[in-house]
Amino acid sequence: MLKRMKMANFNYHHHLTCLLVLSAPLIAFAVSTPEDFLQCLSLHFGNASAISKLVYTPINSSYSSVLDITIQNLRFLTPSISKPSFIVTPLNVSHVQAATICSRQYGLQMRIRSGGHDYEGLSYLSEVPFVIVDMANLRSVTVDAENKTTWVESGSTVGELYYRIAEKSGTLGFPASICPTVGVGGHFSGGGYGMMLRKCGLAADNVIDVQLVNAQGRLLDRESMGEDLFWAIRGGGGGSLGVVVSWKVKLVPVQSTVTVFSPLRTLEQNATKLVHQWQLVANKLPDDLFMRVILQSHNSGPNGTRTMEAFFNTLYLGGVDALLKVMKSGFPELNVVRQDCTEMSWIESVLYFAGFPSGTPLEVLLNRSSNTKYFFKNKSDYVKEPIPESGLEGMWERFFDEDEGVPIMIWNPYGGKMAEISESALPFPHRTGVLYKIQYITAWTNGGNEVAPKHVSWIRSFYSYMTPYVSKSPREAYINYRDLDIGTNNVKGDTDYKQASAWGKKYFKDNFDRLVRVKTAVDPDNFFRHEQSIPPLSSQQKRKNGWV
Ligand SMILES: Cc1cc2nc3c(=O)[nH]c(=O)nc-3n(C[C@H](O)[C@H](O)[C@H](O)COP(=O)(O)OP(=O)(O)OC[C@H]3O[C@@H](n4cnc5c(N)ncnc54)[C@H](O)[C@@H]3O)c2cc1C
Ligand SMILES: *[C@@H]1O[C@H](CO)[C@@H](O)[C@H](O)[C@H]1NC(C)=O
Ligand SMILES: *[C@@H]1O[C@H](CO)[C@@H](O)[C@H](O)[C@H]1NC(C)=O
Ligand SMILES: *[C@@H]1O[C@H](CO)[C@@H](O)[C@H](O)[C@H]1NC(C)=O
Ligand SMILES: *[C@@H]1O[C@H](CO)[C@@H](O)[C@H](O)[C@H]1NC(C)=O
Ligand SMILES: *[C@@H]1O[C@H](CO)[C@@H](O)[C@H](O)[C@H]1NC(C)=O
Ligand SMILES: *[C@@H]1O[C@H](CO)[C@@H](O)[C@H](O)[C@H]1NC(C)=O
Ligand SMILES: *[C@@H]1O[C@H](CO)[C@@H](O)[C@H](O)[C@H]1NC(C)=O
Ligand SMILES: *[C@@H]1O[C@H](CO)[C@@H](O)[C@H](O)[C@H]1NC(C)=O
């Protein structure tokens, strides 16, 4: 078996390139072969037979299906893209530790994958020889309804988390992603928001303890890692500081009845004025109300002409009577009536916002591949001043230039709890002063990767049109909407602090410097690295920046 593995897709040339960039303690792997890595694992697993069930190489018949199953962005599901030498699928903490120690020892880069939703595929792609540690088997969810806390393993999806909470209680919930297939591991690492953002903050705001395997392969919790590292992993982005194996979160109370509505207004129904007005009120409405706007363009205008469609996609944490009063005083122009609204339980609202038809069994939340996959490119912006109507009209024109249905914008209001939390409380800095966040999406299936350049170039030009209307110096962006257009590290060599701060300041503003200090302290050799991982400073750089 081992002989055959040696023949497998292991690229020695790249392997040597990799050697040059890694620091001294790792030189030992110069003579390594795939067998060495496997032997190292079996030594550390303490059970050689576990390897045959938990480690996949390209010769395994199920290698491709295990690799492809959680790849969300079809742009990265092509044969020409580099594949991992090994996929390790840990069943427990010891396996995660072994994978870390052995990848390090043999100079393989490690990519950590929980739900595989990274927009740029950083959890499963690399240009140098690499190992994927796929957390999908680590997904227990232990709900303590009495103490209102839960330990959730990183490989769980937020859908699984929501389902297990609802199983125990109808009046507890958790504020995380709207899309249920998103993995807890990457999502919490980058902040994580959903329909309760204005009431309860980010998922990361509600994390109270973790279990993390660090670059030395040691298992740490909040107490043993210290508050700096604990701060950094709640929003500093995945794949930089260690492997988070599980998270302890504080659950939030939810009303037994919530109300949802999603009225649609086209340009002919005054969408421009309504969207403009929404900018003035959405972040000031009571924080029980989260009203996001989804904007698309379709041939649904008069006589089949192109128009914009604005959906006011809304969750109210309370009953319909109270909601109608809030709408009447806060946003009467939208003219929401009782017939637009539906009362339901919080867990049913999770299905509603995920787009499942009414009556779908709750068990769909346990289905890790329930969502439709697209080819896509998404970007994000933060808006601090209302955009004038003329600016909105310019957006609509650009939407009409793209194929019908391909571009989408989602505007998420801030304010409420988000405005109460200080900018430096966690690495996620987009708090006070943000009216709303925009996510730009181009998503398609027709034409596949052949038409990617056209759509990607459309979204880049749209982003450039938006420059005058959005946050400046830095132009802020959401790390969980990963976008390599805003800058990358040099993954094959040493990363320069200046180069990294180009993208780092956009995601983290001044918190970036604190993240760099934490990284320098806990992973000075930069073992956990990818195109947008936090770089450590060399001693020379530390001196240059006056940090020593
Ligand atoms: C369809 C879709 C819907 C989405 N909806 C929302 C939404 O409503 N709200 C929102 O906030 N975001 C949303 N996102 C973005 C999502 O939060 C991020 O893509 C998130 O990083 C995904 O986490 P993951 O575990 O699925 O991804 P992965 O691709 O597995 O990981 C993302 C990053 O985190 C690292 N990582 C993964 N697991 C770990 C771990 N255990 N320890 C350390 N690092 C780790 C990876 O290496 C990678 O760098 C959505 C994304 C998609 C594709
Ligand atoms: C070794 O690992 C295999 C696969 O995980 C498991 O079935 C077996 O029970 C383990 N044996 C021992 C002695 O732990
Ligand atoms: C992890 O599983 C292995 C079997 O593969 C077992 O030998 C080991 O004791 C387990 N470790 C922990 C911490 O449960
Ligand atoms: C991969 O293939 C090898 C060689 O046939 C086999 O021993 C091993 O059990 C396979 N691994 C998995 C996870 O199926
Ligand atoms: C709640 O927490 C207390 C104190 O930590 C603990 O003793 C108790 O067992 C917990 N309750 C449950 C149901 O686990
Ligand atoms: C649009 O606004 C105009 C003037 O403000 C108003 O008269 C008209 O009824 C509105 N149309 C709709 C569909 O609400
Ligand atoms: C739609 O088409 C009909 C029939 O051709 C025409 O009478 C009408 O004016 C058109 N309406 C608009 C808004 O263009
Ligand atoms: C999960 O959802 C997908 C997509 O709808 C479907 O094809 C698949 O059968 C579902 N799996 C299960 C176990 O229900
Ligand atoms: C990013 O784009 C994809 C493709 O449409 C979409 O499925 C996903 O929902 C987008 N992200 C979010 C958080 O909406």
Side-chain angles (χ1 to χ4, degrees), residues 23 26 100 104 214-216 229 239-242 515-529 533-537:
S23 42
L26 305 175
T100 305
R104 190 178 168 125
N214 74 3
Q216 290 73 43
L229 181 52
S240 270
L241 297 158
L515 286 169
V516 171
R517 281 167 204 254
V518 175
K519 171 76 175 183
T520 307
V522 303
D523 184 18
D525 299 331
N526 206 12
F527 170 68
F528 292 109
R529 62 156 75 189
S533 57
I534 307 296
L537 292 187

Side-chain angles (χ1 to χ4, degrees), residues 198-436:
R198 302 188 65 245
K199 176 78 174 183
C200 309
L202 303 169
D205 292 328
N206 294 281
V207 168
I208 53 180
D209 202 350
V210 295
Q211 292 217 300
L212 168 128
V213 171
N214 74 3
Q216 290 73 43
R218 283 181 49 218
L219 180 65
L220 303 175
D221 64 5
R222 176 177 185 166
E223 201 186 336
S224 56
M225 75 177 60
E227 286 300 303
D228 266 350
L229 181 52
F230 184 60
W231 172 84
I233 57 176
R234 288 173 296 156
S240 270
L241 297 158
V243 187
V244 181
V245 179
S246 61
W247 310 77
K248 185 179 188 184
V249 297
K250 153 176 111 208
L251 302 180
V252 303
V254 291
Q255 268 80 0
S256 52
T257 301
V258 305
T259 307
V260 304
F261 66 89
S262 194
L264 163 66
R265 300 288 184 266
T266 62
L267 293 183
E268 293 68 30
Q269 296 164 322
N270 295 341
T272 306
K273 280 209 157 48
L274 291 170
V275 168
H276 185 264
Q277 179 65 17
W278 174 91
Q279 298 180 98
L280 309 178
V281 299
N283 71 321
K284 298 178 192 75
L285 291 165
D287 54 15
D288 287 326
L289 187 67
F290 185 82
M291 178 185 288
R292 58 177 190 155
V293 185
I294 302 174
L295 291 149
Q296 273 182 288
S297 98
H298 279 291
N299 297 332
S300 52
N303 290 350
T305 53
R306 272 304 260 291
T307 190
M308 291 299 295
E309 297 180 342
F311 291 90
F312 292 84
N313 190 233
T314 309
L315 171 67
Y316 181 67
L317 297 166
V320 64
D321 293 329
L323 166 66
L324 290 172
K325 279 194 202 117
V326 169
M327 288 303 297
K328 202 163 173 202
S329 66
F331 195 8
E333 298 84 353
L334 189 60
N335 200 13
V336 170
V337 295
R338 188 173 292 266
Q339 291 84 318
D340 295 328
C341 306
T342 312
E343 291 187 332
M344 54 180 66
S345 65
W346 172 74
I347 193 71
E348 287 164 345
S349 81
V350 167
L351 268 63
Y352 173 84
F353 291 107
F356 295 110
S358 121
T360 304
L362 296 181
E363 282 64 33
V364 75
L365 295 173
L366 304 175
N367 183 342
R368 297 169 69 90
S369 41
S370 61
N371 60 327
T372 314
K373 295 181 179 182
Y374 295 94
F375 296 79
F376 70 87
K377 170 80 188 164
N378 303 10
K379 300 170 84 71
S380 61
D381 257 323
Y382 284 89
V383 179
K384 301 190 169 181
E385 301 286 341
I387 300 175
E389 282 187 31
S390 59
L392 301 179
E393 279 155 3
M395 292 185 205
W396 312 160
E397 274 165 35
R398 282 164 178 79
F399 263 61
F400 297 157
D401 288 341
E402 239 298 28
D403 295 349
E404 186 194 3
V406 168
I408 306 170
M409 277 192 288
I410 303 178
W411 294 13
N412 288 299
Y414 274 49
K417 180 90 175 184
M418 290 302 280
E420 290 162 17
I421 298 175
S422 105
E423 203 166 292
S424 58
L426 290 186
F428 182 102
H430 324 287
R431 306 275 190 175
T432 313
V434 173
L435 299 183
Y436 59 99

Side-chain angles (χ1 to χ4, degrees), residues 7-21:
M7 309 293 292
N9 186 5
F10 198 76
N11 188 327
Y12 288 92
H13 171 69
H14 276 147
H15 204 183
L16 287 174
T17 317
C18 184
L19 172 71
L20 300 176
V21 305

